[in-house]
Amino acid sequence: MKKQKILEAEPVTHNVVRLKVEKPKGFEFVPGQAVDFALDTPEWKDELRPFTFTSLPQDDHLEFTIKVYPERHGVTDQIGKLKAGDSVLLGDVFGDIHYKGNGLFIAGGAGVTPFISIFRHLNRKGELGNNKLLFANKKEEDIIDRKFFKNILGSNFINILSQEEVDGMEHGYITKELIANQVEGEGAHFYVCGPPPMMEAVLKELKDLGVPKERIVHEEF
Ligand SMILES: Cc1cc2nc3c(=O)[nH]c(=O)nc-3n(C[C@H](O)[C@H](O)[C@H](O)COP(=O)(O)OP(=O)(O)OC[C@H]3O[C@@H](n4cnc5c(N)ncnc54)[C@H](O)[C@@H]3O)c2cc1C
């Protein structure tokens, strides 16, 4: 594990924090990938949890966007208390989500993190194309990086809220119809990332819609 210093710790939403962390020399990853992460204390150093890089490979620092669950009394509860100057431990880099071509990105909550890095990457290269993001959350206050996505994607940024009705946003859970309405023509890729129940439901909907497995890229959070 590599010991790295936290450069900045800032809130993103009411329960999500963003950590800017020193980048080890020669450190490499692909947008969408994650790393085994631990707290640098005797009590927590062996509790590895995966977190996704939301920075770009060429940036001079690493960035993580992390949802904190205080009620679990686990690692993220501790992460919520970190501040600049503290250190963290970084291990192996891994992850199944990579950009394979134009398509629909479907995220639930903190499952949007691999897509932050991918969309930043596409935006920087001027290759956003007709990629769309369908982002499912409970409430409006839970939407991570709303301004960023709205700015770069405009009407290709579709929000759906399960516990709140808000003008201009869908209400309820992701349905087959909602997915089908976002996709024109054949050949689109589907990128899915979120908590287990959402993943299960969306993968079944994609199967029912007849999307071939090789066009689905997914990871469970
Ligand atoms: C490849 C990958 C990349 C990821 N990247 C990110 C990321 O960038 N940002 C991010 O925010 N998250 C990310 N996650 C999810 C993140 O790893 C988990 O949220 C994190 O590990 C939770 O750690 P924890 O110690 O707080 O809680 P856990 O280890 O999940 O839980 C601690 C204890 O809480 C209890 N518990 C567990 N689940 C629940 C539940 N649903 N309800 C009630 N109690 C529960 C259990 O008793 C458990 O032992 C990623 C996951 C994967 C697989």
Side-chain angles (χ1 to χ4, degrees):
M1 300 285 281
K2 289 188 171 74
K3 180 174 173 150
Q4 299 302 125
K5 218 173 223 149
I6 297 178
L7 304 168
E8 254 177 58
E10 300 282 344
V12 180
T13 69
H14 64 105
N15 60 4
V16 174
V17 294
R18 183 155 274 157
L19 302 180
K20 209 169 153 181
V21 174
E22 261 180 352
K23 186 177 180 179
K25 265 215 176 90
F27 196 82
E28 284 183 12
F29 67 93
V30 175
Q33 280 191 313
V35 65
D36 275 329
F37 181 112
L39 296 153
D40 183 25
T41 64
E43 192 190 346
W44 290 99
K45 68 178 177 35
D46 297 323
E47 292 287 332
L48 307 189
R49 297 289 185 277
F51 293 107
T52 309
F53 306 101
T54 51
S55 47
L56 294 179
Q58 61 268 37
D59 290 346
D60 60 359
H61 62 274
L62 301 173
E63 185 196 90
F64 300 96
T65 306
I66 298 178
K67 182 166 173 187
V68 173
Y69 300 92
E71 70 283 4
R72 295 191 194 173
H73 307 293
V75 174
T76 63
D77 182 25
Q78 298 299 316
I79 288 175
K81 298 170 189 165
L82 292 173
K83 50 191 186 327
D86 293 341
S87 50
V88 296
L89 304 170
L90 302 182
D92 292 338
V93 173
F94 65 99
D96 292 334
I97 296 195
H98 300 283
Y99 184 66
K100 292 191 173 170
N102 200 77
L104 178 63
F105 290 73
I106 305 174
V112 77
T113 54
F115 306 157
I116 296 176
S117 185
I118 289 173
F119 275 107
R120 281 185 177 175
H121 193 58
L122 292 174
N123 186 42
R124 191 162 306 179
K125 290 196 295 178
E127 290 176 10
L128 283 169
N130 194 32
N131 282 295
K132 295 184 179 180
L133 173 63
L134 175 55
F135 194 5
N137 283 287
K138 289 188 181 126
K139 296 186 173 184
E140 197 175 10
E141 64 178 10
D142 301 326
I143 303 171
I144 297 170
D145 284 351
R146 177 179 181 173
K147 262 195 197 151
F148 165 72
F149 286 123
K150 186 73 200 163
N151 275 345
I152 66 162
L153 295 175
S155 59
N156 281 346
F157 178 38
I158 305 109
N159 284 280
I160 177 162
L161 302 176
S162 60
Q163 292 183 2
E164 221 172 45
E165 293 206 34
V166 172
D167 277 353
M169 296 188 185
E170 303 284 337
H171 177 68
Y173 290 110
I174 294 170
T175 60
K176 259 187 294 197
E177 292 68 35
L178 184 58
I179 295 174
N181 284 343
Q182 306 309 325
V183 183
E184 293 142 29
E186 300 281 305
H189 288 81
F190 293 84
Y191 303 85
V192 193
C193 189
M198 174 249 171
M199 293 288 298
E200 213 175 292
V202 171
L203 292 178
K204 178 167 186 311
E205 285 162 356
L206 292 175
K207 193 174 169 205
D208 291 349
L209 287 167
V211 177
K213 267 192 180 152
E214 60 274 16
R215 283 204 271 112
I216 305 175
V217 180
H218 62 95
E219 189 145 275
E220 203 168 273
F221 265 33

